[in-house]
Amino acid sequence: MRRAAVALGFAALLAGCRTTSPAGEESPVAPLTSTSADDAARQLAARRTQLTSERILLHIRATNGNHVQSFRAQLQVDGQGRMLLTAYTPLGTTAVRLHASGDEVTFINDLEDTWWHGSAAEFATTFGFFGATPPSAMALLMAGLPAEEKTITYDYAALGIARATVGDVVVTFNPPAYPAKNVLIVRGALKLEIETYQSALTTAPVAKPEVPRSYRCCVAPRL
């Protein structure tokens, strides 16, 4: 019953969206069975190594100084350094798509019919929420999994990551758990408040979205 509910939840959200991901078999993400911080760190490292693909439904509240935006989103992430974050309008159409594969990043603004492509370092200079953290690494953190970036330091609790710090970016988990429930990403005046309301393991690949030919190229990423 839980597996059917997860599949139906994703189907309901995706039915009204302009772009969808390839269908695949899905199953709920099982929580950790750890009883200590060290055990949680070991189990999470194993989960990341074994991860094929995970799909997560989110609500995100983005704050940039006095400017605030709230939107629903879907995150897909795998263990091979690929991610796709899709933000939706209130009507369920696609607003923006952020795809990363290793150091390669593509940002598609479907509201303004523009797109951008470049490296993770170039992306960081225009999209400040993640700092210098590659989007693929940040996607794993948003899921509640540790990334392999050596610059990230972790504080673990008995059932998951409590806090991750990379440079001037601080990621806090409330409660510390996997799958993640509430994630707060803060960098100075920039803040992403993320609420997860459904997570599933899936066989669907993290596919790179196609850019419509009519879209204008090389416009800097922004929400």
Side-chain angles (χ1 to χ4, degrees), residues 6-31:
V6 169
L8 287 173
F10 279 116
L13 184 147
L14 294 177
C17 299
R18 182 164 57 185
T19 56
T20 63
S21 300
E25 294 185 5
E26 295 179 343
S27 59
V29 177

Side-chain angles (χ1 to χ4, degrees), residues 3-222:
R3 179 171 178 171
V6 169
L8 287 173
F10 279 116
L13 184 147
L14 294 177
C17 299
R18 182 164 57 185
T19 56
T20 63
S21 300
E25 294 185 5
E26 295 179 343
S27 59
V29 177
L32 300 184
T33 59
S34 50
T35 57
S36 69
D38 288 343
D39 192 15
R42 286 191 292 269
Q43 289 194 25
L44 286 172
R47 295 284 187 103
R48 181 195 63 214
T49 301
Q50 298 164 3
L51 180 64
T52 301
S53 181
E54 185 173 340
R55 182 155 36 177
I56 308 164
L57 300 184
L58 313 164
H59 181 269
I60 300 177
R61 178 182 168 91
T63 302
N64 184 353
N66 294 323
H67 184 58
V68 179
Q69 287 182 301
S70 295
F71 51 89
R72 291 181 304 134
Q74 177 184 233
L75 173 65
Q76 294 173 268
V77 60
D78 66 17
Q80 306 301 315
R82 292 182 289 261
M83 62 83 72
L84 174 63
L85 179 66
T86 305
Y88 299 103
T89 70
L91 296 177
T93 56
T94 304
V96 297
R97 290 171 283 169
L98 170 62
H99 178 269
S101 179
D103 189 53
E104 183 181 358
V105 181
T106 301
F107 186 91
I108 304 171
N109 187 330
D110 291 300
L111 292 176
E112 300 179 356
D113 294 349
T114 62
W115 70 289
W116 176 93
H117 177 82
S119 68
E122 292 169 330
F123 177 77
T125 64
T126 58
F127 190 91
F129 287 92
F130 298 165
T133 311
S136 55
M138 189 59 72
L140 285 171
L141 288 177
M142 291 166 64
L145 290 167
E148 292 186 289
E149 292 293 314
K150 295 181 180 180
T151 56
I152 304 176
T153 59
Y154 296 97
D155 296 316
Y156 289 93
L159 291 176
I161 303 171
R163 181 186 176 101
T165 306
V166 51
D168 58 352
V169 179
V170 178
V171 184
T172 306
F173 300 82
N174 183 27
Y178 177 71
K181 301 183 185 304
N182 296 288
V183 183
L184 176 62
I185 301 173
V186 177
R187 181 177 183 243
L190 304 176
K191 181 167 60 175
L192 291 178
E193 299 168 84
I194 302 167
E195 178 185 2
T196 296
Y197 55 92
Q198 223 167 64
S199 300
L201 299 176
T202 176
T203 59
V206 180
K208 183 176 181 179
E210 293 186 7
V211 180
R213 292 185 177 182
S214 60
Y215 281 21
R216 183 162 51 93
C217 177
C218 312
V219 178
R222 66 182 180 88

